[in-house]
Amino acid sequence: MARLRIGSRGSQLALWQANHISALLRAQGHEVELEIIKTTGDKILDVALAKVGTKGMFTKEIEEALAEERVDLAVHSLKDLPTELSPGFEIAAITKRENSQDVLCSVHHNSIDDLPQRARVGTSSLRRQSQLKALRPDLEIHPLRGNVDTRLRKLAEGEYDAVILAAAGLNRLGKTDLVKQVIPRDVMCPAAGQGALGIEIRAGDVSTRKLLAFLDDANARASTTCERALLNKLGGGCQVPIGAAADVRDGRLYLDAIVANPDGSKILRESRDGDDPEKLGNEVGEALLRRGGDAILEEVYGRGLAVPQQP
């Protein structure tokens, strides 16, 4: 049996994810060690992520540890991984997916519709902001950074009337007490890859790839490959107002996607189905660009609301 070293960020959620994979590997008889690595994204806490624009801000330092062979594999939230990996790396496994939807957390209000006029809602995601604004233009959207505990504490202390978070993280951590609404995907289209874990290794590391093969979930691989192909076609990272949600039903892929103005004044939606994940993602991305998605994204970058991905 092998001795495997896992690289992970140090947040509570990242550690849950790394420990989850560690337990699955130990159950196979492997010896596992964990190395905590601080990333650029963990250090920049006072700027909205969309304005940072560093490609791989939650992954770069972990990839350096992989390249230097200080760790053998890295466990990431897949939505943090750039759609085009740096040369020298590959995704060995995409694990069975958690719920990909967003949720509304609140102390006093049960849904987006129930929020009072001009309610303060916390999110630093342009994707979430744009869809909230389309539904409720009166809402006041305020920045919200920090780990899950920090965000929930700020909500409980009354800084916000509600906050929008990913269902997956709250489910994994068992912190669902303040979840009031699982937001339907046709109301809030999730981020590409949300709810999935990506296991990254050095490209060509055949022995580690074989050891991790049992973790790879075919449906999660197909749906996230499709979503990430769309994101790549649109040239956006997970911080821009693009949503993508793919499902495998009866062996066929169905993809819903959006591109939106941050103020919610315009949301382009496209839905298609197909057999080939990459092809379907590219086709839907192409259709959104043709229908005006290119102009929306140019405006987002031109106004400095988000920074294009940097190498």
Side-chain angles (χ1 to χ4, degrees):
M1 290 295 138
R3 175 174 163 270
L4 295 164
R5 297 160 300 169
I6 296 179
S8 169
R9 295 169 59 204
S11 74
Q12 196 178 12
L13 182 56
L15 289 176
W16 184 97
Q17 293 170 175
N19 284 321
H20 172 65
I21 299 302
S22 297
L24 294 173
L25 288 167
R26 287 193 180 104
Q28 297 272 314
H30 303 302
E31 189 184 325
V32 184
E33 293 175 12
L34 191 58
E35 180 170 334
I36 297 170
I37 299 162
K38 197 159 192 176
T39 68
T40 302
D42 297 314
K43 297 168 191 169
I44 303 172
L45 294 174
D46 56 347
V47 181
L49 292 180
K51 294 188 178 179
V52 178
T54 304
K55 184 178 178 181
M57 63 185 134
F58 290 116
T59 58
K60 181 171 172 283
E61 288 81 0
I62 297 174
E63 285 184 338
E64 286 169 358
L66 261 178
E68 293 164 8
E69 301 191 13
R70 287 188 279 126
V71 298
D72 303 300
L73 63 143
V75 179
H76 304 285
S77 291
L78 187 61
K79 70 176 184 179
D80 290 340
L81 268 177
T83 52
E84 289 187 345
L85 294 188
S86 305
F89 303 102
E90 62 179 84
I91 297 175
I94 296 171
T95 62
K96 187 171 170 53
R97 204 169 186 179
E98 245 289 1
N99 187 340
S100 68
Q101 289 166 271
D102 289 308
V103 294
L104 176 121
C105 298
S106 182
V107 176
H108 304 294
H109 310 290
N110 291 324
S111 69
I112 295 170
D113 291 342
D114 286 347
L115 291 171
Q117 284 283 309
R118 301 184 64 78
R120 291 172 60 91
V121 180
T123 177
S124 289
S125 159
L126 292 180
R127 175 188 59 79
R128 290 170 177 154
Q129 171 186 311
S130 61
Q131 294 179 90
L132 278 171
K133 282 290 202 179
L135 203 63
R136 291 282 308 271
D138 62 289
L139 295 177
E140 294 183 2
I141 311 296
H142 293 271
L144 179 65
R145 288 284 314 274
N147 61 32
V148 170
D149 276 347
T150 300
R151 296 180 192 208
L152 292 176
R153 189 191 73 244
K154 289 179 175 180
L155 172 65
E157 289 172 353
E159 278 190 49
Y160 305 92
D161 295 301
V163 300
I164 309 292
L165 298 171
L170 296 173
N171 289 347
R172 284 175 175 141
L173 293 172
K175 295 182 181 293
T176 56
D177 293 357
L178 292 176
V179 172
K180 294 294 172 42
Q181 180 187 18
V182 179
I183 307 171
R185 296 195 324 190
D186 59 353
V187 173
M188 186 165 290
C189 192
Q194 189 159 291
L197 302 183
I199 316 299
E200 187 180 25
I201 63 171
R202 287 181 291 279
D205 183 353
V206 178
S207 59
T208 303
R209 188 194 306 140
K210 281 182 180 171
L211 294 176
L212 299 175
F214 78 99
L215 293 168
D216 198 47
D217 181 85
N219 283 355
R221 171 76 71 167
S223 61
T224 57
T225 296
C226 183
E227 292 164 7
R228 284 164 64 79
L230 169 119
L231 195 60
N232 196 45
K233 186 59 151 181
L234 295 173
C238 67
Q239 312 309 332
V240 293
I242 298 167
D247 280 316
V248 180
R249 292 178 229 148
D250 299 323
R252 196 160 177 81
L253 265 174
Y254 295 81
L255 175 63
D256 300 311
I258 63 138
V259 176
N261 273 338
D263 64 5
S265 60
K266 186 172 189 180
I267 294 186
L268 301 176
R269 298 180 188 274
E270 190 75 28
S271 299
R272 294 192 187 188
D273 60 297
D275 297 312
D276 183 305
E278 293 244 2
K279 185 168 177 247
L280 179 59
N282 283 325
E283 283 175 357
V284 172
E286 198 64 69
L288 285 167
L289 289 172
R290 273 200 311 272
R291 288 177 49 207
D294 52 352
I296 289 176
L297 294 171
E298 276 173 29
E299 185 189 353
V300 169
Y301 294 135
R303 289 169 57 198
L305 296 170
V307 181
Q309 286 199 42
Q310 306 295 319

